[in-house]
Amino acid sequence: MRIDILTCLPELLVSPFSHSIVKRAQDKGLAEIHVHDLRQHAINKHGQIDDYVFGGGAGMVLRVEPIAAWIDELQAQRPYDAIIYLTPDGETLRQPLANRLSMFQNIIMLCGHYKGIDERIRQTYITHEISVGDYVLSGGELGAAILVDAVVRLLPGVLGNEESALSDSFQDDLLAPPVYTRPAEWRGQAVPDILLSGNTPKIEEWRHDQALARTQARRPDLLGH
């Protein structure tokens, strides 16, 4: 998978992609992540990429020219399965959406900033609009980092155990059950006997029951999907 990210703050994305699972995916050649600075296609020598809102109002808007120039340049090199705009009014990111995106080959992610982007970019280029939650961030960069992590970890060969991603929370509309490791007893609290029994069918039944109970208690809305 190749992911191209368009941003006016590329430095914000250095650390998230330089560690842990996303770095492992890149080291294995399973994912390519390229971050592009919108200011490389600024409209003037001062690096301008934004302007005032037509009609008045507070805040600045990212202009069409830098964004269009980058997208046109990238699309001339390869076809893209999705051009995603990270925006608070997009579709809320949930596990099924991450699953679908993980099947794509090439993706562009556009990070908004200030008051957003000119609407004509959305109408001309954008195929998916995604929000990482019902709150507003200073820009789309952290949202893009979240989306990249959610998608890349699903690529075959990225995780050490292929079944790990399949047992994550939300994969089956249930939260993950409790997990334990050594020591078997700590400060008077013992690991449930069933997990030490070696009876795999009973363990899986216990885990499902625990996942269901936890979902009912913490996220009952998931059970209605």
Side-chain angles (χ1 to χ4, degrees):
M1 172 180 281
R2 177 185 171 112
I3 300 173
D4 290 273
I5 302 176
L6 309 181
T7 171
C8 59
L9 293 172
E11 299 84 1
L12 271 180
L13 294 171
V14 173
S15 180
F17 303 148
S18 301
H19 305 279
S20 191
I21 300 299
V22 176
K23 181 179 186 298
R24 181 191 304 172
Q26 295 176 88
D27 290 343
K28 289 184 175 181
L30 301 174
E32 290 183 45
I33 302 172
H34 301 270
V35 179
H36 308 283
D37 189 347
L38 286 171
R39 296 188 189 279
Q40 291 183 10
H41 285 296
I43 64 168
N44 56 37
K45 64 181 181 180
H46 304 295
Q48 183 181 355
I49 58 173
D50 60 350
D51 218 321
Y52 295 105
V53 183
F54 273 133
M60 305 290 280
V61 176
L62 289 175
R63 292 179 59 121
V64 295
E65 301 97 330
I67 299 171
W70 263 121
I71 296 177
D72 290 345
E73 180 178 322
L74 292 169
Q75 285 186 316
Q77 299 172 22
R78 68 191 61 80
Y80 283 87
D81 304 295
I83 302 178
I84 299 169
Y85 174 44
L86 281 302
T87 173
D89 58 0
E91 176 185 358
T92 301
L93 176 60
R94 300 186 187 280
Q95 194 61 48
L97 176 56
N99 292 346
R100 293 195 300 272
L101 294 176
S102 73
M103 305 299 293
F104 290 168
Q105 187 70 34
N106 300 311
I107 296 173
I108 293 174
M109 295 185 188
L110 171 59
C111 302
H113 215 74
Y114 312 118
K115 293 296 288 184
I117 64 173
D118 190 293
E119 184 68 19
R120 291 167 290 187
I121 290 293
R122 300 173 81 161
Q123 295 173 353
T124 303
Y125 293 104
I126 303 303
T127 63
H128 298 69
E129 299 188 348
I130 297 176
S131 167
V132 296
D134 293 338
Y135 47 85
V136 177
L137 299 171
S138 299
E141 288 78 16
L142 298 182
I146 290 172
L147 181 57
V148 168
D149 192 284
V151 170
V152 166
R153 68 189 308 278
L154 299 173
L155 300 178
V158 171
L159 297 180
N161 184 337
E162 292 298 323
E163 295 183 2
S164 180
L166 299 178
S167 61
D168 286 339
S169 291
F170 306 112
Q171 282 290 12
D172 52 4
D173 286 334
L174 295 177
L175 300 181
V179 293
Y180 299 85
T181 188
R182 293 178 177 83
E185 185 172 340
W186 177 77
R187 294 185 179 177
Q189 302 177 63
V191 173
D193 291 339
I194 184 64
L195 298 179
L196 307 177
S197 69
N199 189 330
T200 300
K202 288 294 184 181
I203 290 173
E204 291 306 313
E205 180 181 349
W206 179 89
R207 285 175 171 160
H208 180 268
D209 291 344
Q210 291 291 315
L212 181 59
R214 178 165 286 187
T215 305
Q216 288 174 330
R218 302 184 182 186
R219 289 293 305 276
D221 57 295
L222 293 174
L223 299 176
H225 289 176

